[in-house]
Amino acid sequence: MPPSNTDNCSTSHFRYPLFTSTYSIVLLFGLPLNFVSLWILVCRNGLRKSVSVIYMANLALSDLLFTLSLPFRIIYFATGEWKLGNALCMIPGTLFAVNIYSSSLFITLISVDRMLAVVYPLRSRQLRTVPIAWVLCVMVWLIIAGLAVPTALNHPENKDNACNVTRCFEKYSERNWYNGFIILCFTTFFGILVPFCIILGCTVSVVRQLKGYSMATSSCNTELSKSKIVKLFLSNLLIYAICFIPFHIAFILFGLSKHDYLHGDNSLEVYFNLHTVTMCMASTNSCLDPLIYYFSTKTIKGRTRCDSSSRTVGLGLVQSMSWNGQ
């Protein structure tokens, strides 16, 4: 997180208690939620039968790694001083970025997979396979690893000579700040904007497809499935609306203000405070992702009895919410 020029050596700025309380709440709820979700996904459902399980297990793993790093952030913002060394400073800062962009990409894969299951249930069978899902997940982690290296190098501990304390997660040098801003602009476009457009397109396609279903489909007990599909896509958009988009907008505004592209009375401090609040919102991502697990793991039990005129539509809906439907 970039520093504010108006800060002093005390921890009286509202960001310290805000970060401490927010990270504590996220840790309290996010750790058990994601641990249980990962256990259910891996141990009860397995990673060999369902494409959806593979994507969601990787998403849960990303969230779990982030929540495990939160105690280090809590310790720092509760005390205002870092005493745990450079390596332990870089890791939590890096895992924050890793979580945001890996979550964004895995949510995109989940949305595309569900869209293909609903809109193209038969033609997409060859694309929606376990081997292809694992290849895509490995590609995501390789991309994230490539992002993690420069992010880690740009988030070292630093000596605050004016206050005679060691800092972490804030008060970076001008060079670190500039490099971080360039990285953020790049990742905002490719890691947030592009995936959001894909998810929005998938949502529109699914809603149009669902509206086109005839009344005969309703007799096949698929109305509940249709509702779950819509809620899944809405939960994806909700996560972007709360966690990802506000944080990146606030960070870019703060960066533009810091480089004197935006002018106004106290604009730097205003955007810094906005960035602080939206960063807390971004941290709630690991608590909101279980909504995706919930809406995705609901299956349609029993066999659907359909006449021949609606069998294809019913098959698409059943496959879209069933673990066994690839």
Side-chain angles (χ1 to χ4, degrees), residues 33-44 56-58 60-61 64 293:
L33 280 174
N34 287 286
F35 180 81
V36 172
S37 297
L38 188 61
W39 180 82
I40 292 174
L41 290 168
V42 175
C43 298
R44 294 185 58 181
M56 286 185 288
N58 281 272
L61 176 62
L64 187 61
Y293 315 146

Side-chain angles (χ1 to χ4, degrees), residues 226-239:
K226 290 163 62 176
S227 175
K228 291 170 184 173
I229 295 170
V230 172
K231 289 178 180 177
L232 169 64
F233 280 93
L234 290 179
S235 65
N236 292 345
L237 293 176
L238 177 67
I239 290 173

Side-chain angles (χ1 to χ4, degrees), residues 61-246:
L61 176 62
S62 174
D63 290 333
L64 187 61
L65 291 175
F66 172 65
T67 54
L68 289 173
S69 71
L70 288 179
F72 298 104
R73 288 179 172 269
I74 294 171
I75 291 172
Y76 173 74
F77 286 106
T79 62
E81 185 176 1
W82 185 256
K83 299 180 179 180
L84 301 178
N86 190 46
L88 289 180
C89 177
M90 291 191 295
I91 291 174
T94 303
L95 287 178
F96 177 81
V98 165
N99 177 247
I100 287 183
Y101 300 111
S102 61
S103 294
S104 174
L105 295 177
F106 285 127
I107 291 173
T108 303
L109 290 176
I110 292 170
S111 298
V112 172
D113 177 67
R114 298 299 85 189
M115 184 275 293
L116 291 175
V118 174
V119 182
Y120 308 104
L122 299 180
R123 284 185 288 175
S124 65
R125 276 179 169 266
Q126 294 181 345
L127 296 176
R128 298 176 56 245
T129 64
V130 170
I132 291 179
W134 276 116
V135 169
L136 292 175
C137 288
V138 170
M139 289 176 61
V140 168
W141 285 115
L142 289 176
I143 293 172
I144 296 302
L147 170 66
V149 173
T151 301
L153 295 176
N154 202 54
H155 286 75
E157 65 175 11
N158 56 90
K159 184 67 175 179
D160 186 348
N161 294 319
C163 301
N164 195 30
V165 295
T166 302
R167 303 289 189 181
C168 186
F169 313 123
E170 63 175 346
K171 297 201 174 183
Y172 299 113
S173 66
E174 288 297 323
R175 180 177 180 180
N176 287 139
W177 157 242
Y178 178 78
N179 292 337
F181 184 67
I182 296 300
I183 293 173
L184 182 105
C185 290
F186 178 82
T187 54
T188 297
F189 181 80
F190 291 102
I192 299 298
L193 182 59
V194 172
F196 178 72
C197 291
I198 294 174
I199 294 173
L200 189 60
C202 290
T203 303
V204 172
S205 298
V206 167
V207 171
R208 291 180 60 185
Q209 184 74 10
L210 294 178
K211 284 185 177 180
Y213 287 162
S214 64
M215 291 301 294
T217 306
S218 298
S219 63
C220 300
N221 298 323
T222 56
E223 288 300 324
L224 183 60
S225 179
K226 290 163 62 176
S227 175
K228 291 170 184 173
I229 295 170
V230 172
K231 289 178 180 177
L232 169 64
F233 280 93
L234 290 179
S235 65
N236 292 345
L237 293 176
L238 177 67
I239 290 173
Y240 267 80
I242 294 178
C243 303
F244 299 153
I245 294 178

